[in-house]
Amino acid sequence: MTAITLRPLAATDSIEALTALLHASYASLAAQGWNFTAVNQSVQTTRERVEAGQAFVALSASGELVGTVTIAPPKRPDGRYLGDPVPDCYTQPDTAILAQLAVHPACRGQGVAERLMDIAEDWAHAQGYAHVALDTAVPAEALRRRYERRGYARIGDVQWAGKTYRSVLMRKALGPTASTEAHP
């Protein structure tokens, strides 16, 4: 297994490189006909999404960006989420929102996604949130099962404008510590 380091996104990190990572990571989902936002989002959308919360990155031993996740505070009930009305579960004051989980295809199977989720959940817990919510495509069964194994439960669904699929909304209660793993 290659050494992977996790850390918060830094001001010096390239948003263009982060966007390219998202595109590469979500290409396999696009090939299945699912037009997730990260499949082809603009650099500006990436910037707006990471600025809305706390982004973390995974770096290879050579310093290459190989993974990312963003965890954000709840949205305003009268606001918008990527242009759509905000689902109720994303407006709860005790709930952080997990998004843009991505691992470069060459680095999959090494536990990077799990470590990214750990660090995002730990951040949410440290900020005082009791829950983390996310959404994913209903037909993306492997993704749904991954989240269920981590304790996320289906709490509803939503049809985002322009998406080729319906999304499931999921939420997880955070315990005393979201994870016990160190994040080297």
Side-chain angles (χ1 to χ4, degrees), residues 74-88 90-91 160:
K75 307 294 180 195
R76 291 187 3 223
D78 60 347
R80 307 292 282 176
Y81 184 66
L82 298 171
D84 284 304
V86 181
D88 287 342
Y90 283 2
T91 67
W160 301 111

Side-chain angles (χ1 to χ4, degrees), residues 102-116:
V103 175
H104 191 279
C107 295
R108 291 188 180 149
Q110 299 179 35
V112 178
E114 295 303 316
R115 290 178 58 205
L116 284 164

Side-chain angles (χ1 to χ4, degrees), residues 25 31 39 42 48-49 103 105 107 113 120 125-126 141 144 149 159 171 176 182:
S25 299
V39 163
S42 68
E48 290 169 1
R49 292 180 87 183
V103 175
C107 295
H125 185 263
E141 293 178 25
R144 288 196 342 260
R149 283 191 304 272
Q159 178 63 55
R171 188 172 73 172

